[in-house]
Amino acid sequence: MTAVVPPLQTTRLDPASRPFFAADVGGTHVRVGLIQAAAANDPAIDVLSYRKYRCADYPSLSAILSDFASHNPPVEHCVIATAGYALPDGTVISANLPWPLSSSRIRDDLGFAGVHLVNDFEAVAHAAGHINASQVLQLTGPADVERGPTLVIGPGTGLGAAVWIPVGNRSVVLATEAGQASLAATTELEMAVLQQMLQDRPHVSIEQALSGPGLLNLYNALCAVRGTTPVHTTPDAVSAAACDGSDPLAVETLQLFCGILGSTIGDMALLYGVQGGIYLAGGILPKISQFLLNSTFVERFLNKGPMRKALQSIPVKLVEHGQLGVIGAASWYLEKSAK
């Protein structure tokens, strides 16, 4: 099953380029665009066509790209933004993709001259400079600040995070595996939930709480702490019951999620020296935006002792992920090709 979405335009760096495919590959969906970089004096990147695919409907990424290629002119190159860690042989280590991913296999299957891999949130970070005010929901901090290191983070099937660092007219992006770091508990309830989660696994990562599956982990652990039998079996069911207020335990779970998210992002802002802002992306947050606004997220983000004043100067904004991964992958590829 595919969803065809109207194309988006954004800005780019040199050089002009022949059309190519850019794909944003997540654990649930794959988004693919046919990209045309404009002429040398025109700063725009055009997304000539765009489709969204459900991973579960296809046996491989090659099958998805083959379908997209059947609707578009032939291209020689494809850039793929994906969760996980790319090895030198072109394979990707990822706990969230439903099938193996190999750049060399995709190149052979579809006859590309080149297939290029980039971390998914490194790609989204490359799109950070192209996000305008109409695309965001302000959560805290000033509306505008000077350009500086910017954190892009998003819970979806997993948790992605990257830091975008402007350097003159170019940028450097620090890709991270922050989601695999150990989860830190702050409140007594979080400690009890963490202890419960540790009964099933030797290591509880941030991602095992701050993601779609993580929300369900929190719910099940909280049910155990409260001595209650779980009634919800999917993250969507938990978030829906929380947002409509129909289940107090689901409400408490989502409050727990938002509090941990705020605290974790505050930690990352300090660890990475963020000054230019924080963008929250990913599939979960737009669905719970109003709940997030009314949660303890901001309070927990700022709760860093003497560093509270520093964090108050950092804008935190929620942005719909959408085509950002595709645009970011394209921007990364064009900047890489220009070097």
Side-chain angles (χ1 to χ4, degrees), residues 17 23 27 36 55 101 103 124 137 141 147 160 200 225 283-284 292 306 334:
S17 173
Q36 172 67 68
C55 295
L101 194 159
S103 59
V124 172
L137 173 65
R147 281 162 46 101
D200 302 324
V225 169
I284 295 176
L292 186 67
L334 289 168

Side-chain angles (χ1 to χ4, degrees), residues 13 128-130 144-150 164-172 274-277:
L13 301 172
H130 308 309
D144 297 298
V145 292
E146 292 185 9
R147 281 162 46 101
T150 299
W164 179 78
I165 305 169
V167 182
N169 292 326
R170 291 188 172 276
S171 63
V172 175
V274 173
Q275 298 173 341

Side-chain angles (χ1 to χ4, degrees), residues 258-300:
C258 293
I260 294 172
L261 181 66
S263 183
T264 300
I265 290 175
D267 288 342
M268 290 184 184
L270 297 176
L271 287 167
Y272 296 131
V274 173
Q275 298 173 341
I278 298 170
Y279 288 106
L280 308 184
I284 295 176
L285 301 183
K287 300 175 184 177
I288 64 165
S289 58
Q290 290 306 307
F291 193 102
L292 186 67
L293 277 171
N294 296 318
S295 73
T296 61
F297 170 84
V298 173
E299 175 188 334
R300 291 288 299 276

